[in-house]
Amino acid sequence: MNPAGCSVLYLGPRSGTCLDRARALRRLGASVEHLDLRELLPASPWVDRWTWHVGGHWFGSRIDSGLQRVLGQRRFDVCHVDGGEWVTPQVVARLRRHARRIVNYNIDDPTGPRDGARFAAYRQAVPDYDLLVVVREENLPELRHLGARRCMRVFRSADEVSHAPRAVSARDRIAWGSDVLFLGSWFPDRGPFLLELIERGVPLTIRGPNWHKAPEWKRLQAHWAGGAIGGDDYARAIQCARVNLGLLSHDNRDRHTTRSLEIPALGGLLCAERTDEHERLYREGEEAVFWRDAKECAEVCAALLADEPRRDRLAQAGQRRYQRDGHHNERVMQRILRAALDEGPATVIEAVMHSEHA
């Protein structure tokens, strides 16, 4: 089915990359009904804490009754579940009454160790989905073990609109300019790494939430420029940084992240941990720069800051590579939609990891 003729029930937050993907489906011509399942639960923060530490499956019956009330008799070609921490087998059975195909796309690590009980409902419902889409190779055998019918693996993607370069003024350069920027949340392995960079003389700026939780906070605080940002602020912070660090969450089994695509999409220079997936996405030293530890990262940053023409060449080449390989939301969502509607063999495990120069 052509996406332009498809009706989609889209379940996920009305924010962040989830909202970007819903909007990408609309740009493809799909008719999208976007519903945030969190809005069917009490507003109390205890719901989120309970989900993380005990499991979202405890809220399955409440989600089921909420969907029954909200959806009525409506029917859709596809139900696209983004994440799925509250979607139990009972909820999937409810969705089956409203959609011909049910697909889940999860950019986290729902079968991994980092998030504890958060994805208990997801794991229970694995056999009930028509298609499960993930971004980690490790997820594929784990999902098969849980009884998955069909899986597809993709690279993460940046958005054609949210991550299109903005016009940057001299005032923007003053407000958002930085030498070396890390834009992202605190995780336990990131504090020691960034502190070592600072101790090695890297002129670092940190932006993102929860850094006050870091044991190294007192020594990092002078380099912290504020919490989470989005939209134009997010774009201009990346565009106005001379070097953008791409850190991974090792507990989340990352080998690339959304920043790995968003930074080059915006025309920023990506300076990331060396992994097999980063090396598939970009030619090292030509389209991005990589490092193995804080010592090498500090050396790479010092060399880049001393060579503006090289920084410009790398950033421009990285942006061209991103555009050429097509790691865009519209392209990825189109693949997912077509795979969800495919009547292929139930046992097929599909890997869609396109990279022209891999």
Side-chain angles (χ1 to χ4, degrees):
M1 176 181 287
N2 189 313
C6 192
S7 59
V8 179
L9 173 61
Y10 194 96
L11 304 182
R14 302 178 199 272
S15 61
T17 62
C18 179
L19 179 59
D20 284 338
R21 289 187 285 274
R23 287 172 170 167
L25 280 173
R26 288 195 177 103
R27 293 196 299 269
L28 289 168
S31 172
V32 178
E33 176 79 15
H34 192 165
L35 177 62
D36 186 348
L37 294 183
R38 182 63 181 85
E39 296 173 2
L40 302 179
L41 298 173
S44 169
W46 283 103
V47 170
D48 305 290
R49 293 171 190 167
W50 186 273
T51 298
W52 274 84
H53 296 292
V54 184
H57 56 293
W58 289 93
F59 301 102
S61 293
R62 183 136 187 177
I63 293 290
D64 179 33
S65 60
L67 286 171
Q68 182 180 18
R69 182 181 67 254
V70 170
L71 294 178
Q73 301 300 314
R74 280 182 288 174
R75 294 282 301 173
F76 303 87
D77 294 309
V78 174
C79 174
H80 179 109
V81 179
D82 196 294
E85 57 262 58
W86 298 296
V87 179
T88 61
Q90 176 187 5
V91 173
V92 176
R94 169 68 56 190
L95 295 171
R96 186 72 62 190
R97 302 177 192 180
H98 299 276
R100 195 154 58 91
R101 292 284 187 274
I102 304 175
V103 57
N104 183 295
Y105 179 32
N106 195 313
I107 65 169
D108 288 300
D109 188 4
T111 57
R114 189 191 73 175
D115 292 342
R118 178 187 174 196
F119 289 111
Y122 173 99
R123 292 189 287 271
Q124 292 171 8
V126 159
D128 301 298
Y129 284 101
D130 297 300
L131 175 69
L132 292 144
V133 184
V134 292
V135 297
R136 289 168 182 78
E137 183 179 354
E138 295 88 344
N139 294 143
L140 295 176
E142 292 163 355
L143 290 172
R144 182 182 288 174
H145 178 73
L146 291 171
R149 301 185 195 181
R150 297 174 69 238
C151 303
M152 182 168 72
R153 185 189 177 206
V154 298
F155 274 114
R156 293 174 176 87
S157 50
D159 191 71
E160 293 86 343
V161 175
S162 292
H163 305 118
R166 273 59 165 180
V168 175
S169 67
R171 181 174 294 182
D172 292 328
R173 297 282 179 194
I174 294 170
W176 296 105
S178 58
D179 288 318
V180 178
L181 174 66
F182 175 65
L183 179 51
S185 301
W186 170 78
F187 287 116
D189 56 339
R190 292 176 173 176
F193 179 86
L194 294 185
L195 181 60
E196 184 175 346
L197 291 186
I198 292 167
E199 290 172 345
R200 290 181 177 276
V202 174
L204 181 67
T205 298
I206 302 169
R207 292 184 182 274
N210 297 324
W211 282 94
H212 63 283
K213 297 180 180 179
E216 306 82 9
W217 172 240
K218 288 185 179 179
R219 288 176 287 176
L220 295 175
Q221 187 173 8
H223 297 264
W224 185 72
I229 53 175
D232 291 340
D233 289 348
Y234 175 87
R236 288 180 177 130
I238 289 174
Q239 289 179 250
C240 293
R242 292 181 172 88
V243 178
N244 287 275
L245 295 182
L247 303 190
L248 308 176
S249 171
H250 295 106
D251 288 343
N252 216 31
R253 302 189 290 185
D254 286 341
R255 301 210 299 279
H256 79 287
T257 71
T258 53
R259 298 283 192 279
S260 305
L261 288 312
E262 292 168 358
I263 289 168
L266 284 159
L269 169 54
L270 177 65
C271 177
E273 184 172 346
R274 187 180 293 108
T275 69
D276 59 336
E277 291 183 4
H278 276 148
E279 290 175 325
R280 286 183 66 183
L281 286 165
Y282 307 105
R283 292 192 186 96
E284 182 171 2
E286 297 179 34
E287 298 164 336
V289 290
F290 303 136
W291 39 266
R292 68 181 178 278
D293 55 25
K295 178 177 181 295
E296 184 178 9
C297 181
E299 292 169 353
V300 166
C301 288
L304 289 170
L305 292 175
D307 192 343
E308 182 177 0
R310 184 178 178 229
R311 292 199 311 271
D312 291 342
R313 287 195 303 272
L314 282 162
Q316 291 167 14
Q319 187 179 49
R320 287 194 299 269
R321 175 65 180 273
Y322 154 79
Q323 292 168 341
R324 190 165 60 239
D325 282 357
H327 297 298
H328 317 137
N329 276 341
E330 290 176 24
R331 186 169 177 182
V332 171
M333 296 306 291
Q334 187 172 52
R335 290 181 196 143
I336 292 172
L337 200 58
R338 286 176 174 169
L341 293 166
D342 183 23
E343 304 268 354
T347 58
V348 170
I349 301 293
E350 301 181 39
V352 182
M353 296 288 286
H354 294 287
S355 193
E356 280 189 6
H357 305 285

